[in-house]
Each structure stands twice: as C-alpha cells, then as structure tokens.
Amino acid sequence: MPKTMSTSMRVVHAVAAQEDVDPAELQPPLHAVVDADALDDLFPSGGADSSSLARSVEFTYRGNQVCIDSRGNVDVLARSAESGASTTPGR
C-alpha cells in the first residue's frame, strides 16, 4: 500500500484486507474507534517526519490488533490468535 495514502486510510485498507471485505463495509468506521486525524498527524503520508522521536501506536479495531511503528508501517494481527496471520502493507 502506498505511503502517500494517509495512515488512517492505510489502517482501513489493511483491516479490510485482513478480513477480506471492502473497506467501505467496515463498521464501525475507524474514526469512531480512534482519532484518525491524530494518527495522520503522528504518522504523516510519505513517512516524512522531521522529529527524532520514536513512536508507535497500538489499538484494537474490529477485534484486530493494529500496530503502527515509528516509520508509519501498519501491521494488523488477525482476530484469531491461533491463525498467526498478519498483514504488513507499506513495507
């Protein structure tokens, strides 16, 4: 997934891919669970970050564990822990 897409949209697309559904079908919408604007501010598109702070964010969305690392990479851990599946768009 291109890093030029906003971080919040990359999260939506990664979760939709994990669940094999259309991103528009995700309910509740991401902004009902987490401040999507804050995600986009913390992890700007293109990975351009002028600060030297290492940061990461983790939260649960639709039962999936979403992790965003300091480079803005989005990982989604599947609902089912025994499946061990994850996606790493943007890497």
Side-chain angles (χ1 to χ4, degrees):
M1 204 159 309
K3 286 253 186 157
T4 55
M5 183 183 293
S6 70
T7 300
S8 59
M9 287 306 299
R10 287 188 294 118
V11 168
V12 167
H13 284 266
V15 170
Q18 181 68 42
E19 296 185 12
D20 197 27
V21 298
D22 186 276
E25 294 178 17
L26 295 181
Q27 291 297 323
L30 181 64
H31 69 268
V33 176
V34 67
D35 186 335
D37 291 332
L39 283 179
D40 295 339
D41 288 344
L42 281 170
F43 305 99
S45 297
D49 184 6
S50 59
S51 78
S52 61
L53 296 175
R55 65 187 87 164
S56 63
V57 172
E58 293 186 27
F59 58 93
T60 302
Y61 179 47
R62 294 176 50 93
N64 298 289
Q65 186 68 26
V66 177
C67 306
I68 307 169
D69 70 16
S70 60
R71 294 182 312 246
N73 295 315
V74 177
D75 290 325
V76 178
L77 229 37
R79 292 180 197 217
S80 173
E82 58 270 359
S83 74
S86 69
T87 61
T88 55
R91 281 195 188 189

